[in-house]
Amino acid sequence: MKTKKSNVTKLKEKAWNWFSKYIRLRDCLLTTGSKEYGKCFTCGRTYPFGELQAGHFVDSRTKPVLFNEDIVHAQCVGCNLFKKGNKDEYTPKMIELFGTKKVLEFLELRHNKDKTW
């Protein structure tokens, strides 16, 4: 018998897969005008769609952060995983896009334990 938690986990995984594809496609179209290639938000290098990841500006998996499209951008594996988000590059770009006040609000989301998506 399946538990409620396992169903929620599977749905969350499925939602994340679609959300990740959306973010990467959005950023590919914005940065190169192509569905096949896009630029990493932080290092600016061009990669094939399949090599990009959806990287979070805010380090948290709380519900207000996970599917927030303002704080998730296409990143290469090097920036997202090996450089742990490459925050030295991510932060100034976010400030340029949204302004300091909004970026500080985004950072506060990691403390929000809201149970809704």
Side-chain angles (χ1 to χ4, degrees):
M1 184 170 170
K2 291 184 178 183
T3 66
K4 183 178 177 182
K5 185 171 183 165
S6 68
N7 288 334
V8 169
T9 300
K10 286 180 182 181
L11 288 172
K12 185 177 167 184
E13 280 179 29
K14 193 172 187 177
W16 172 254
N17 286 333
W18 282 108
F19 181 74
S20 174
K21 286 177 185 174
Y22 161 72
I23 294 296
R24 292 178 289 139
L25 179 60
R26 175 198 71 185
D27 289 0
C28 283
L29 291 172
L30 285 171
T31 60
T32 68
S34 164
K35 295 179 186 177
E36 289 84 26
Y37 293 91
K39 291 185 179 184
C40 173
F41 185 75
T42 46
C43 73
R45 292 188 194 107
T46 302
Y47 292 90
F49 175 86
E51 291 181 23
L52 291 168
Q53 299 180 343
H56 286 81
F57 172 62
V58 178
D59 296 331
S60 175
R61 290 298 199 189
T62 60
K63 292 175 183 175
V65 170
L66 189 60
F67 296 112
N68 184 329
E69 65 186 87
D70 288 337
I71 59 174
V72 182
H73 295 88
Q75 285 188 297
C76 67
V77 174
C79 287
N80 192 33
L81 292 181
F82 303 130
K83 292 184 179 178
K84 298 180 180 170
N86 196 359
K87 301 302 187 229
D88 290 343
E89 297 296 327
Y90 214 141
T91 302
K93 290 181 182 206
M94 289 294 286
I95 291 170
E96 184 179 320
L97 272 178
F98 295 101
T100 304
K101 182 179 178 188
K102 190 69 176 170
V103 167
L104 291 172
E105 289 174 18
F106 289 149
L107 291 171
E108 284 301 310
L109 290 174
R110 72 179 134 209
H111 304 296
N112 186 331
K113 302 299 181 201
D114 188 4
K115 299 291 184 190
T116 58
W117 278 297

